[in-house]
Amino acid sequence: MELFDSSKHGTLSAFFSHYSSSITYPGTDFLLKPVFIRGFSGSLHLVLLFVLLVSWVWKKFKVGEGEGPKQRFGSIQSWYYKLTLLCCLGVSGLSLVFCLLNYFYWHRNDWSEEKLVTLFDLAIRTLAWGALCVYLHTQFSNSSESKFPNLLRVWWGSYFSISCYSLVIDILLYKEHVSLPVQSLVFDVVCVISGLFFIYVGFFGKKEGRNTVLEEPLLNGNGNAESNNSKGGTPVTPYSNAGIFSILTFSWMGPLIALGNKKTLDLEDVPELYKGDSVVGSFPNFRNKLEAECGADGRVTTFHLVKALIFSVWKDVGWTGLYAIFYTLASYVGPYLIDTFVQYLYGRRQFKNEGYALVSAFMVAKLVECLCQRHWFFKAQQAGVRIRAVLVTAIYNKGLTLSCQSKQGHTSGEIINFMTVDAERVGDFSWYMHDPWMVILQVGLALVILYINLGLAAVATLVATIVVMLANVPLGSLQEKFQEKLMESKDKRMKATSEVLRNMRILKLQAWEMKFLSKINELRKTEAGWLRKFVYTSAMTSFVFWGAPTFVSVVTFVACMLLGIPLESGKILSALATFRILQEPIYSLPDTISMIAQTKVSLDRIASFLSLDDLPPDVIENLPRGSSDTAIEIVDGNFSWDLSSPSPTLKNLNFKVSQGMRVAVCGTVGSGKSSLLSCILGEVPKISGTLKMCGTKAYVSQSPWIQSGKIEENILFGQEMDRERYERVLEACSLKKDLEILSFGDQTIIGERGINLSGGQKQRVQIARALYQDADIYLFDDPFSAECLLGLLGSKTVIYVTHQVEFLPAADLILVMKDGRITQAGKFNDILNSGTDFMELVGAHAEALSMLNSAEVEPVEKISVSKEDGEFASTSGVVQKVEDTDVQNSKTDDLPKGQLVQEEEREKGRVGLSVYWKYITTAYGGALVPFILLGQVLFQVLQIGSNYWMAWATPVSEDVKPAVETSTLLTVYVALAVGSSFCILFRSTLLATAGYKTATLLFSKMHLCVFRAPMSFFDATPSGRILNRASTDQNVVDLNMPGQIGALANSMIQLLGIIAVMSQVAWQVFIIFIPVIAICIWLQQYYISSARELARLVGVCKAPVIQHFAETISGSTTIRSFDQESRFRDTNMKLMDGYGRPKFHTAAAMEWLCFRLDMLSSITFGFCLVFLISIPAGVIDPGVAGLAVTYGLNLNMLQAWVIWNLCNVENRIISVERLLQYTTIPSEPPLVIESNQPDRSWPLRGKVDIHDLQVRYAPHMPLVLRGITCSFPGGMKTGIVGRTGSGKSTLIQTLFRIVDPASGQILIDGIDISSIGLHDLRSRLSIIPQDPTMFEGTVRSNLDPLEEYTDEQIWEALDKCQLGDEVRRKEGKLDSTVSENGENWSMGQRQLVCLGRVLLKKSKVLVLDEATASVDTATDNLIQQTLRQHFTDCTVITIAHRITSVLDSDMVLLLSHGLIDEYDSPATLLENKSSSFAQLVAEYTMRSNSSFE
């Protein structure tokens, strides 16, 4: 058969062949008529005029919004621009001349339709080209962009095509001897030449001037891209002032995607959000609206919150609603017209050119559908970004002002969850907000179409639809229940994981890490139980989803048969297309309902959090600075942390502090000293009394709060750098020496919670921060900051809590506290004789000093407490992890190498195929994959088979005899349909099984590797990074990854099915299909490099938001005491916008791609339609042709779906890659070496021999211990002293093999510790660590996590460490709860619990690492006494904090710079007055004795 029948399609043969004898053929002759050509040309020019007008109005509107006219670059005039302007003027002038000529030529004769249309064309051309001149002049005279915008380029292309078409027709008519007016020919020739020039300028010419990557305004309707570089020189997103054409086609994203294709995108490359989308722009409106809604009482309800949110995005809500309506209407045009199309193919024509009208209707509907869907999705995500940002900011701001009582009701993890989970979920709801009413609209339209086609059978459809929706309800609610349980169990696991990661050092020292891993594995087992239920329910849901159209269609067709409604192929195809669209609302309804429920829960949680009580603002009465001599005055003050408790925390406070006074606060553990300082800061709610304060304040807390960042930033804390003051502060805080040790000085980046600083260094940084603020009133809540009082704080008011009696005599006023009351107040000597409480403290101190005096040290000449000599007193445990800096070779280049905390590793470029392979083959070696694919292929084959059967077996109209009986028709159809549904059930179940198994295996693998990692890994890796993998990435692998990979395979197989059906009808579709697919793949490749990096940036930018929030919550008291709230709020906003930037542009990039794919698939579909109407009737079965169209309607959706799934899998696989990254961490040496296990009784004597020990923290770092040889005799007490950085803690870490020696060895009772397993070693040694740590759980689980001891043994240990009575008083006794970090126990009590652990273990070797740092002298003595009593025959190694704690040692080891300086008994060392040790003791005695003068 010839491709074109010459009787029908003469036009085409005229164009493509030289031998045609005649030109006009029925049906197409209008294409050659001047009326058509001129009319078409005039219409196009009218469109241009309209677009230019809209563009101009848009510009004005934008400027009106305060954007201001923007130019991107300097003014450069180019000759291209001038020529183009001249040429446009020329075309406009020429059109005007011809218009006038024709008018005068014709007005004498009669007017015909053709003449009027020609005049109309010329007049519109004159106006359009004139307008174009004005547009070019106003928009581009001062711009130096390298290309003209795409609006013009598209226009010039169209103009050139029409001109060529007109000229070709002129020539053909001339050849056929049809007379033509000369002016018409001349005009067309001029148009073609000018069109050629425009084509050259538009597509090949470039304007002169700078041409940088981002200067190209791809498809930017009004050509002006953004100039106002915002913060840090990053340009604002081109979206903010893109032209309408650019916005419609998402071309404003072009430059960023082009850049991503040339280089790996970094955050600097991603433009800033424009003001309306950034938090800075949108939050004030939201806050004002929320405050206005809540009124005076300030209680935030969910309703208030929703109103304020809608108010902040109402424009977007309106637009998305409009898009959704148009999208829904357009998507039903295709199904509605299919029957008409089949009838047309069968030869039933309603009117002339009906085919072209149908094709146009199909195409316009497709175009509207595509545009509306893309912009709906984009606007929805844009609203989501904004909602998320304002909610997070509101939650953050609330976290800063929460009262302590409100805070106690929520753990920091829960508060962070509001931000990471709840705000995220509310932001995601923007996708779903229109679904509830759209379902009604979609079902309604579907029923109308079905009623038109199948009459009353539509009722059956409605019933079936309702049944399927109802079937989804129990599945949906089950899924929701499982999801809820899954989230609960995940929260528990994450809480436990974060606690374990925080305390990993303790766990490793105690050899408990595997026990805690098994706890986490237990929690994961519970979670995995819910996960399994959830994924299998999801498998059932997807069975219902894919089976729904089949079920609905079977019910409908059976109803037709019973009602006697004739089944015709056109009507059936229309119904099938409708059922497919119905699939969406049927499926999404339960999803939407559960999403609404989840969002409501999240909104309720956020609203209840936002309505918690803030710190009462009226606690402190602030007097103007300098207005009074009194700095602080409290009159009849009663304060309580818990207002509901009958006895206040602080009772009857009355005292007055004048400017410049020094006030010391002392008392036993738990007497209310820290609460007194908190009360002065305004942190404790006031019951009665007044508290006045005059001046600015600075505060140093008991447990240091350090931000991650540079040391310098921590000290400046938001102030400007004043180098002289800065140096003075460093000097006063003895930080100079610390900074010399650190490889990068004050530029060293501190890890999370100051992890790479020792306790003493953290304290000193904290004090430096306070001193640098230059406040009027200083509050110190710690035992080691007193030296600074002598230095910079001469004229300041200072209040310090101290456990060290030697710092008391320097005070002008001493407050002695007991049970929340001030029991004594006055100067040292006054109160020494007036009461018992103070005597107890001083007595304990005197007892400790008596040992010194017994050594009869003659006072060495007075030594000033300078940094050099006083340093020792000011160090708390210096864990020398400072040089152990980096263990990972990070890939970032911005940070100096060797920094401990490196920027998070971010893989670059494509994800390797090995990652996919590992993922697919993790479960059962990939054995299930072929079966999953087989199920999918069978499903597709049976689906197409059933539809093909219906199209082929049913007649085109009533008067045609059906090919088979109706009963046979339906039996075969039902059989095929049921078969296809079972295939999908089979595939879903297998997919769920494989996905679940993979997630479980990856979890176990990663956690085992993390727990077996050496300590250096945890020092260099902020816990946020590990937690991110354990939560976010694990969540993706648990819930999303299997579905994503399944959907990718599914969509590809469906796409192949559609191609097969379409090419079955018209193989010629391949002519266009192959290039279109090629372009799609090229576009996807072009897009993916940017999309991948943007997705990674979203992940990388999220961590700092969470970390900053977590730090703020833990340090809120410090932040408030320095009045730095507004700075922290601003930082949070900046970080949120940093997270919003890649998020916003990821959404835009997705739509950029989808829009282009939709356009391409519409071209394919259009080609197929044109082809079908072009072939003669009867050549092809209309039913089968109709089937091709039915499938073709889905083509653009499917093609986009394939690409979307591809990109999604690429983005999601990053989570798998990140988990796999942590399964390759090098592990510690083995925990147990079976062949070399020490005897059960080892160590018997506890003798420690050290031979030439050299230790470094990493191969590229200097030695910390540089060859130490000594021996600690068994059963004796050895004290280790030395200044910061001398290597004391390194020695202990080597003893526990936290660090392995570079050379040399340590023997305990003759066994080389490197030759036995880590657990064998660590479980036989005991340590009381520097920071007393307790875990959430019970008293029992804190003392005996491995469950090795009986209750009697635990009680015995508690009694020995003086905690027995305390625990007996508690309700649960040994099972009484311990909260997160042991916060319901005081610092001193926590230290005693650590002592209890040691007493239980009864090891032969005991290490005290600064064990007495946070305890008053009395408790310290108690610990020392207990140790003397119960560890007489043990080797006790003490890293000293106070000289008194080493004086009664048998031996003292003094380290200096990693070498032994002195090693002998204290008595021997003290005899030699020139020994370093003697000097340290002399200085300490001098200071302490001054207290008793």
Side-chain angles (χ1 to χ4, degrees):
M1 179 196 108
E2 274 185 43
L3 183 58
F4 298 111
D5 176 17
S6 59
S7 67
K8 273 276 175 72
H9 292 272
T11 320
L12 293 164
S13 45
F15 274 76
F16 297 118
S17 62
H18 297 290
Y19 49 80
S20 89
S21 53
S22 148
I23 290 179
T24 49
Y25 293 93
T28 57
D29 50 354
F30 74 92
L31 291 173
L32 298 181
K33 289 185 178 167
V35 176
F36 169 78
I37 297 166
R38 297 292 170 220
F40 187 63
S41 158
S43 310
L44 273 177
H45 279 84
L46 198 57
V47 169
L48 171 72
L49 201 54
F50 176 73
V51 170
L52 286 178
L53 182 69
V54 170
S55 184
W56 178 76
V57 171
W58 176 270
K59 196 80 184 164
K60 285 286 174 208
F61 177 69
K62 276 293 206 191
V63 172
E65 278 192 338
E67 292 288 327
K70 298 186 176 92
Q71 284 159 5
R72 211 198 217 151
F73 312 111
S75 142
I76 288 182
Q77 291 279 338
S78 82
W79 66 278
Y80 270 133
Y81 159 72
K82 290 175 182 166
L83 272 178
T84 310
L85 195 63
L86 278 173
C87 199
C88 289
L89 264 173
V91 174
S92 178
L94 189 73
S95 303
L96 180 66
V97 169
F98 272 94
C99 182
L100 295 171
L101 273 176
N102 282 337
Y103 179 76
F104 290 118
Y105 189 74
W106 286 331
H107 86 105
R108 294 188 219 98
N109 312 331
D110 292 332
W111 290 101
S112 66
E113 184 182 36
E114 183 181 319
K115 291 175 181 174
L116 282 170
V117 170
T118 307
L119 278 180
F120 161 78
D121 174 34
L122 290 166
I124 292 292
R125 276 180 192 235
T126 308
L127 284 173
W129 288 95
L132 198 56
C133 292
V134 176
Y135 179 80
L136 275 171
H137 180 67
T138 54
Q139 303 295 329
F140 293 93
S141 56
N142 291 336
S143 155
S144 68
E145 296 178 33
S146 58
K147 287 184 182 176
F148 288 99
N150 275 13
L151 170 65
L152 298 189
R153 289 151 73 186
V154 168
W155 166 244
W156 289 336
S158 313
Y159 171 71
F160 178 65
S161 309
I162 294 166
S163 305
C164 289
Y165 182 75
S166 301
L167 190 60
V168 168
I169 297 295
D170 285 352
I171 293 164
L172 286 171
L173 291 171
Y174 181 75
K175 277 175 83 179
E176 288 300 317
H177 311 298
V178 177
S179 64
L180 277 172
V182 175
Q183 68 262 34
S184 171
L185 198 61
V186 170
F187 184 76
D188 287 340
V189 169
V190 172
C191 286
V192 168
I193 293 166
S194 59
L196 254 174
F197 170 77
F198 287 132
I199 284 288
Y200 176 74
V201 169
F203 291 86
F204 305 106
K206 287 193 176 183
K207 293 175 69 191
E208 297 147 9
R210 283 184 2 216
N211 178 18
T212 62
V213 181
L214 277 169
E215 282 175 11
E216 180 180 325
L218 255 168
L219 265 163
N220 188 355
N222 51 6
N224 272 354
E226 183 69 32
S227 75
N228 58 339
N229 276 11
S230 72
K231 323 137 214 172
T234 316
V236 171
T237 177
Y239 174 73
S240 60
N241 72 324
I244 189 161
F245 189 71
S246 174
I247 280 184
L248 276 179
T249 56
F250 294 98
S251 305
W252 55 270
M253 263 308 286
L256 185 63
I257 291 174
L259 181 64
N261 216 32
K262 292 193 177 83
K263 65 177 278 260
T264 302
L265 286 181
D266 289 310
L267 193 59
E268 304 77 75
D269 303 316
V270 183
E272 294 282 349
L273 296 172
Y274 89 103
K275 196 160 182 274
D277 280 329
S278 70
V279 194
V280 182
S282 53
F283 182 69
N285 295 339
F286 169 76
R287 186 188 53 217
N288 298 342
K289 180 68 181 167
L290 191 60
E291 283 168 4
E293 284 295 328
C294 297
D297 70 339
R299 288 266 166 236
V300 180
T301 64
T302 309
F303 182 61
H304 293 153
L305 189 60
V306 171
K307 270 176 85 172
L309 284 174
I310 290 175
F311 174 78
S312 59
V313 292
W314 67 270
K315 278 185 186 163
D316 293 334
V317 173
W319 276 113
T320 47
L322 206 61
Y323 290 139
I325 289 176
F326 280 117
Y327 163 73
T328 308
L329 293 172
S331 64
Y332 277 107
V333 170
Y336 177 71
L337 291 177
I338 279 182
D339 187 27
T340 320
F341 193 74
V342 170
Q343 299 301 332
Y344 173 85
L345 294 181
Y346 190 60
R348 298 183 173 175
R349 315 286 156 95
Q350 311 275 329
F351 54 90
K352 200 176 169 192
N353 299 326
E354 184 190 3
Y356 291 104
L358 279 171
V359 171
S360 306
F362 273 120
M363 291 311 292
V364 168
K366 264 277 158 260
L367 194 67
V368 171
E369 181 188 337
C370 149
L371 273 172
C372 288
Q373 189 181 28
R374 299 282 60 96
H375 285 277
W376 168 22
F377 285 178
F378 174 64
K379 276 278 181 211
Q381 289 179 84
Q382 192 181 358
V385 167
R386 206 177 307 166
I387 287 172
R388 196 176 292 115
V390 296
L391 280 177
V392 168
T393 309
I395 293 166
Y396 179 88
N397 293 355
K398 186 69 183 182
L400 258 182
T401 59
L402 269 191
S403 71
C404 288
Q405 201 181 350
S406 304
K407 219 179 196 174
Q408 279 167 359
H410 297 279
T411 63
S412 56
E414 278 173 30
I415 299 176
I416 290 170
N417 261 350
F418 290 133
M419 194 177 92
T420 52
V421 179
D422 295 305
E424 199 79 21
R425 189 175 286 153
V426 177
D428 289 341
F429 183 68
S430 57
W431 282 97
Y432 297 87
M433 61 189 163
H434 297 300
D435 283 8
W437 59 263
M438 275 191 48
V439 168
I440 299 165
L441 180 65
Q442 285 173 312
V443 174
L445 284 170
L447 291 174
V448 168
I449 291 173
L450 287 170
Y451 186 76
I452 293 168
N453 283 324
L454 302 175
L456 282 175
V459 177
T461 311
L462 178 62
V463 173
T465 306
I466 291 169
V467 167
V468 174
M469 281 184 175
L470 290 177
N472 258 327
V473 171
L475 280 175
S477 62
L478 264 180
Q479 240 179 321
E480 200 178 333
K481 179 183 143 196
F482 295 152
Q483 169 96 24
E484 212 170 280
K485 295 285 189 191
L486 184 64
M487 290 317 289
E488 272 173 30
S489 45
K490 191 184 257 21
D491 283 350
K492 280 187 193 151
R493 170 172 68 80
M494 286 315 298
K495 202 168 168 188
T497 310
S498 76
E499 184 175 52
V500 167
L501 291 176
R502 258 202 316 271
N503 302 308
M504 190 52 92
R505 181 174 296 277
I506 307 292
L507 297 184
K508 289 212 176 275
L509 289 169
Q510 303 274 17
W512 288 347
E513 73 269 42
M514 296 325 278
K515 175 67 183 177
F516 278 77
L517 173 61
S518 69
K519 271 190 187 174
I520 285 173
N521 283 335
E522 277 304 308
L523 290 167
R524 170 67 182 179
K525 205 180 264 176
T526 315
E527 183 188 347
W530 292 115
L531 175 65
R532 191 170 59 243
K533 289 177 178 163
F534 181 80
V535 294
Y536 284 122
T537 318
S538 298
M540 282 304 296
T541 314
S542 84
F543 163 63
V544 171
F545 173 60
W546 291 105
T550 316
F551 172 73
V552 174
S553 53
V554 166
V555 171
T556 309
F557 296 150
V558 169
C560 286
M561 186 177 89
L562 295 175
L563 292 169
I565 297 166
L567 291 174
E568 295 162 22
S569 55
K571 290 181 172 162
I572 278 187
L573 290 169
S574 176
L576 287 174
T578 309
F579 296 145
R580 181 156 304 179
I581 296 182
L582 256 185
Q583 181 181 17
E584 200 57 40
I586 287 176
Y587 179 63
S588 65
L589 188 65
D591 206 20
T592 307
I593 291 168
S594 90
M595 193 63 198
I596 290 172
Q598 286 177 32
T599 307
K600 186 179 179 314
V601 169
S602 287
L603 283 165
D604 289 344
R605 278 161 54 98
I606 293 172
S608 70
F609 177 69
L610 292 179
S611 48
L612 288 174
D613 290 333
D614 283 347
L615 274 176
D618 57 347
V619 174
I620 303 181
E621 190 182 321
N622 278 310
L623 306 172
R625 198 173 176 180
S627 64
S628 162
D629 290 339
T630 306
I632 298 165
E633 182 177 15
I634 299 182
V635 181
D636 300 331
N638 286 291
F639 300 84
S640 179
W641 286 114
D642 181 4
L643 291 172
S644 58
S645 112
S647 64
T649 316
L650 298 170
K651 308 178 246 316
N652 310 329
L653 297 186
N654 282 290
F655 68 92
K656 182 175 178 179
V657 178
S658 303
Q659 297 283 3
M661 265 176 87
R662 311 233 162 135
V663 181
V665 182
C666 59
T668 53
V669 168
S671 57
K673 305 182 295 295
S674 298
S675 296
L676 179 65
L677 287 198
S678 300
C679 147
I680 295 169
L681 287 171
E683 297 284 318
V684 190
K686 180 167 73 177
I687 298 172
S688 61
T690 56
L691 192 173
K692 292 181 182 160
M693 180 179 268
C694 177
T696 56
K697 55 192 186 299
Y699 168 64
V700 177
S701 60
Q702 184 174 9
S703 39
W705 176 74
I706 304 285
Q707 268 189 291
S708 43
K710 292 180 187 158
I711 291 179
E712 180 190 281
E713 290 165 3
N714 264 288
I715 295 173
L716 296 181
F717 206 55
Q719 300 271 5
E720 291 296 311
M721 167 60 93
D722 169 347
R723 187 46 75 181
E724 197 183 326
R725 171 156 52 129
Y726 183 71
E727 292 299 332
R728 271 207 320 274
V729 167
L730 291 184
E731 193 78 23
C733 297
S734 323
L735 265 171
K736 279 276 170 66
K737 224 185 197 94
D738 294 321
L739 296 181
E740 283 163 21
I741 296 166
L742 296 168
S743 352
F744 299 95
D746 62 0
Q747 297 305 303
T748 302
I749 290 181
I750 303 177
E752 203 176 10
R753 304 187 317 280
I755 193 158
N756 47 332
L757 296 182
S758 70
Q761 287 166 331
K762 282 189 246 186
Q763 279 292 4
R764 292 195 283 284
V765 169
Q766 243 206 145
I767 296 159
R769 173 173 65 205
L771 294 186
Y772 191 81
Q773 295 297 311
D774 199 21
D776 303 322
I777 302 166
Y778 280 87
L779 304 167
F780 291 101
D781 184 6
D782 83 294
F784 350 96
S785 53
E787 300 88 288
C788 307
L789 312 180
L790 311 171
L792 279 185
L793 298 177
S795 60
K796 308 288 187 186
T797 309
V798 183
I799 298 182
Y800 57 99
V801 167
T802 185
H803 295 126
Q804 282 154 303
V805 178
E806 60 270 29
F807 297 139
L808 293 176
D812 302 319
L813 172 67
I814 297 170
L815 303 175
V816 183
M817 297 208 62
K818 189 169 188 183
D819 299 331
R821 286 190 170 80
I822 297 176
T823 53
Q824 288 171 280
K827 276 198 174 293
F828 186 84
N829 292 329
D830 304 342
I831 59 172
L832 193 55
N833 312 318
S834 66
T836 55
D837 298 328
F838 190 56
M839 276 308 294
E840 274 174 34
L841 293 167
V842 175
H845 182 66
E847 186 188 317
L849 269 177
S850 62
M851 288 184 278
L852 272 177
N853 298 338
S854 67
E856 293 176 355
V857 185
E858 297 165 21
V860 189
E861 50 200 273
K862 207 163 177 101
I863 301 168
S864 68
V865 186
S866 69
K867 286 71 49 202
E868 298 302 317
D869 306 317
E871 172 64 29
F872 171 65
S874 78
T875 64
S876 99
V878 181
V879 180
Q880 213 27 54
K881 287 176 294 197
V882 184
E883 300 93 337
D884 68 332
T885 49
D886 191 23
V887 279
Q888 294 174 317
N889 294 322
S890 163
K891 301 185 183 173
T892 51
D893 302 321
D894 333 349
L895 284 173
K897 288 279 175 276
Q899 283 281 27
L900 170 64
V901 180
Q902 298 283 8
E903 218 172 273
E904 175 154 17
E905 288 203 19
R906 167 163 82 99
E907 300 283 343
K908 306 225 166 154
R910 331 184 50 112
V911 178
L913 279 175
S914 61
V915 177
Y916 291 94
W917 182 247
K918 273 183 195 156
Y919 179 76
I920 289 172
T921 55
T922 300
Y924 312 108
L928 295 181
V929 177
F931 293 104
I932 292 169
L933 288 174
L934 177 71
Q936 190 59 54
V937 170
L938 279 175
F939 166 72
Q940 200 53 37
V941 168
L942 291 171
Q943 273 272 301
I944 292 173
S946 62
N947 292 345
Y948 199 93
W949 166 257
M950 288 303 273
W952 172 82
T954 47
V956 175
S957 62
E958 289 181 53
D959 48 5
V960 179
K961 187 174 180 298
V964 292
E965 287 294 313
T966 315
S967 54
T968 317
L969 173 81
L970 285 177
T971 311
V972 173
Y973 181 70
V974 170
L976 290 169
V978 170
S980 73
S981 298
F982 278 108
C983 285
I984 210 73
L985 182 60
F986 171 71
R987 167 230 170 225
S988 301
T989 314
L990 286 185
L991 187 65
T993 309
Y996 167 76
K997 183 75 175 162
T998 307
T1000 317
L1001 289 171
L1002 283 176
F1003 177 89
S1004 311
K1005 220 176 190 174
M1006 180 188 95
H1007 277 69
L1008 181 64
C1009 283
V1010 167
F1011 274 68
R1012 289 287 290 112
M1015 206 50 229
S1016 52
F1017 167 76
F1018 297 97
D1019 292 340
T1021 312
S1023 60
R1025 280 184 209 167
I1026 305 172
L1027 288 174
N1028 217 344
R1029 282 170 173 79
S1031 62
T1032 317
D1033 295 321
Q1034 185 64 47
N1035 202 31
V1036 168
V1037 173
D1038 283 349
L1039 300 175
N1040 307 11
M1041 208 60 223
Q1044 283 299 328
I1045 289 199
L1048 177 64
N1050 183 358
S1051 54
M1052 281 182 151
I1053 291 165
Q1054 275 194 284
L1055 185 65
L1056 292 172
I1058 288 190
I1059 296 172
V1061 171
M1062 288 176 80
S1063 54
Q1064 178 67 29
V1065 176
W1067 59 266
Q1068 292 80 1
V1069 172
F1070 273 117
I1071 298 167
I1072 194 157
F1073 213 95
I1074 290 165
V1076 163
I1077 286 284
I1079 295 169
C1080 282
I1081 291 169
W1082 177 82
L1083 270 174
Q1084 192 263 346
Q1085 291 304 315
Y1086 180 69
Y1087 149 91
I1088 194 70
S1089 49
S1090 305
R1092 194 189 303 117
E1093 295 314 318
L1094 283 170
R1096 282 182 176 145
L1097 283 173
V1098 169
V1100 170
C1101 293
K1102 189 176 184 177
V1105 176
I1106 299 172
Q1107 191 172 345
H1108 182 248
F1109 191 36
E1111 280 183 348
T1112 304
I1113 288 172
S1114 61
S1116 54
T1117 306
T1118 306
I1119 295 167
R1120 288 194 289 263
S1121 66
F1122 286 97
D1123 295 324
Q1124 293 272 351
E1125 295 99 321
S1126 62
R1127 181 170 70 89
F1128 275 78
R1129 285 191 192 113
D1130 291 347
T1131 306
N1132 176 59
M1133 285 189 179
K1134 277 200 194 87
L1135 288 170
M1136 255 335 274
D1137 278 343
Y1139 172 54
R1141 274 156 61 190
K1143 196 102 175 141
F1144 173 84
H1145 289 92
T1146 301
M1150 189 78 232
E1151 301 311 326
W1152 177 92
L1153 176 70
C1154 287
F1155 174 79
R1156 280 148 185 74
L1157 298 181
D1158 280 356
M1159 287 298 120
L1160 287 166
S1161 54
S1162 300
I1163 290 169
T1164 314
F1165 182 53
F1167 180 84
C1168 182
L1169 290 176
V1170 170
F1171 180 80
L1172 287 173
I1173 62 168
S1174 307
I1175 48 181
V1179 170
I1180 191 164
D1181 181 343
V1184 178
L1187 181 68
V1189 176
T1190 309
Y1191 273 103
L1193 281 174
N1194 268 13
L1195 184 65
N1196 67 322
M1197 201 172 82
L1198 245 181
Q1199 208 166 319
W1201 195 38
V1202 169
I1203 301 294
W1204 194 74
N1205 280 324
L1206 245 180
C1207 300
N1208 233 345
V1209 165
E1210 279 234 29
N1211 287 344
R1212 292 285 165 82
I1213 199 82
I1214 292 169
S1215 288
V1216 177
E1217 176 187 56
R1218 282 160 58 92
L1219 290 186
L1220 288 171
Q1221 234 181 25
Y1222 275 16
T1223 57
T1224 53
I1225 308 166
S1227 118
E1228 281 188 307
L1231 299 178
V1232 176
I1233 298 172
E1234 295 292 346
S1235 58
N1236 192 14
Q1237 278 193 281
D1239 193 57
R1240 294 202 78 133
S1241 58
W1242 178 86
L1244 256 178
R1245 297 195 316 285
K1247 179 171 187 259
V1248 180
D1249 293 304
I1250 301 173
H1251 298 299
D1252 188 28
L1253 186 68
Q1254 296 190 352
V1255 178
R1256 52 162 60 96
Y1257 279 100
H1260 60 281
M1261 309 207 87
L1263 287 170
V1264 184
L1265 295 181
R1266 300 183 296 163
I1268 287 183
T1269 304
C1270 64
S1271 180
F1272 301 155
M1276 289 176 89
K1277 195 173 176 190
T1278 307
I1280 304 178
V1281 290
R1283 301 187 189 285
T1284 298
S1286 58
K1288 304 189 296 290
S1289 291
T1290 305
L1291 183 57
I1292 297 306
Q1293 292 194 62
T1294 316
L1295 182 64
F1296 279 85
R1297 285 183 67 194
I1298 294 291
V1299 190
D1300 271 332
S1303 68
Q1305 54 181 183
I1306 298 179
L1307 304 175
I1308 298 180
D1309 283 1
I1311 292 185
D1312 181 354
I1313 63 168
S1314 299
S1315 66
I1316 59 173
L1318 291 182
H1319 270 192
D1320 283 334
L1321 169 69
R1322 292 172 185 168
S1323 61
R1324 312 291 174 89
L1325 308 178
S1326 284
I1327 183 163
I1328 298 185
Q1330 183 178 354
D1331 299 316
T1333 307
M1334 288 177 80
F1335 302 94
E1336 190 168 4
T1338 62
V1339 175
R1340 182 190 278 107
S1341 70
N1342 265 286
L1343 282 164
D1344 176 27
L1346 304 181
E1347 296 158 13
E1348 295 174 329
Y1349 304 101
T1350 62
D1351 281 9
E1352 287 72 38
Q1353 289 170 306
I1354 295 175
W1355 278 118
E1356 190 188 333
L1358 282 171
D1359 288 331
K1360 282 179 189 167
C1361 66
Q1362 313 285 311
L1363 276 175
D1365 297 339
E1366 179 69 33
V1367 175
R1368 282 188 187 89
R1369 278 205 294 276
K1370 293 185 183 287
E1371 246 180 74
K1373 308 280 190 290
L1374 288 181
D1375 293 318
S1376 52
T1377 55
V1378 175
S1379 66
E1380 199 177 7
N1381 294 333
E1383 274 168 10
N1384 53 349
W1385 293 62
S1386 78
M1387 247 338 199
Q1389 289 169 328
R1390 279 182 251 172
Q1391 195 73 66
L1392 293 174
V1393 169
C1394 293
L1395 176 63
R1397 287 176 189 154
V1398 171
L1399 289 163
L1400 260 182
K1401 213 171 179 181
K1402 300 195 181 82
S1403 299
K1404 275 290 177 206
V1405 178
L1406 167 66
V1407 175
L1408 271 84
D1409 181 4
E1410 296 278 4
T1412 51
S1414 49
V1415 179
D1416 60 83
T1417 317
T1419 314
D1420 182 13
N1421 286 346
L1422 189 150
I1423 290 177
Q1424 295 296 340
Q1425 210 177 327
T1426 312
L1427 294 176
R1428 274 198 291 275
Q1429 199 177 332
H1430 298 287
F1431 288 91
T1432 42
D1433 57 343
C1434 297
T1435 308
V1436 180
I1437 302 169
T1438 310
I1439 291 186
H1441 163 62
R1442 299 182 182 151
I1443 290 281
T1444 50
S1445 53
V1446 286
L1447 280 175
D1448 65 341
S1449 303
D1450 301 306
M1451 300 293 278
V1452 171
L1453 173 69
L1454 199 136
L1455 290 176
S1456 172
H1457 301 298
L1459 293 167
I1460 295 178
D1461 196 359
E1462 297 169 354
Y1463 181 45
D1464 214 326
S1465 69
T1468 315
L1469 290 173
L1470 286 171
E1471 279 165 18
N1472 175 5
K1473 299 291 176 282
S1474 61
S1475 73
S1476 312
F1477 183 66
Q1479 288 180 355
L1480 280 172
V1481 173
E1483 168 211 317
Y1484 185 86
T1485 321
M1486 244 215 24
R1487 243 187 354 198
S1488 301
N1489 278 343
S1490 67
S1491 29
F1492 298 102
E1493 284 167 9

